[in-house]
Amino acid sequence: MTGPHPPRPTRIDLLATPKAVPELRHRLRGHGFEVQLCVSELVTNVIDHLGEGTPVTVRVRHGDDGRTRIEVTDPDPRALPVLLHAMPGDESGRGLALVGAVAVRWGVRQGAHDKTVWCEVAGPPGRKITGPATRAATS
């Protein structure tokens, strides 16, 4: 027996709103905690930096290499994510640090009319990942 099969690739088109974030986590629960965390943080970044109601596309797919790739595409190719080093008293600025903590790598792919922020987590869905991530410019 080879074990359980990974969940099927998922594509979700939605408007980025605070209410949509927990709904996304619920819809992606079969993909594992790390996927839910990364999607939550990446969609929250869209809300915080582009505004509520921004259309986004979320894609999740499991590769043959054991990694799960998460992509969040939004319509602004110029508003690039920035990894901040939040201080203990700061109320924001930890989203990409959380993504970086669970992802093997992450990056941004700019298009002419959109951008995709992506990350990859290792292992089967739900497995705890440890270690720092590396940022890649493209993929």
Side-chain angles (χ1 to χ4, degrees):
M1 185 167 156
T2 60
H5 297 287
R8 293 184 179 263
T10 301
R11 176 186 168 136
I12 303 169
D13 296 303
L14 69 143
L15 298 179
T17 63
K19 182 180 176 185
V21 175
E23 292 171 2
L24 273 170
R25 281 194 303 267
H26 179 76
R27 288 182 67 179
L28 296 170
R29 69 184 179 274
H31 291 279
F33 171 76
E34 292 85 3
V35 170
Q36 292 173 308
L37 174 69
C38 290
V39 167
S40 294
E41 293 304 327
L42 295 177
V43 171
T44 298
N45 278 350
V46 172
I47 296 166
D48 290 346
H49 299 287
L50 298 181
E52 287 188 35
T54 300
V56 297
T57 300
V58 175
R59 291 179 198 81
V60 179
R61 71 178 182 275
H62 301 275
D64 294 335
D65 61 359
R67 292 182 178 178
T68 300
R69 185 171 177 103
I70 300 120
E71 299 179 343
V72 176
T73 302
D74 69 59
D76 190 340
R78 297 163 293 146
L80 299 178
V82 176
L83 179 60
L84 301 174
H85 299 285
M87 301 304 291
D90 293 345
E91 294 185 19
S92 63
R94 292 176 182 81
L96 285 178
L98 287 170
V99 170
V102 299
V104 174
R105 63 189 191 130
W106 69 274
V108 179
R109 186 179 63 237
Q110 287 179 279
H113 304 289
D114 62 12
K115 76 169 166 304
T116 299
V117 181
W118 59 269
C119 64
E120 294 176 349
V121 295
R127 182 178 153 239
K128 185 174 179 181
I129 306 300
T130 59
T134 56
R135 184 179 184 277
T138 60
S139 183

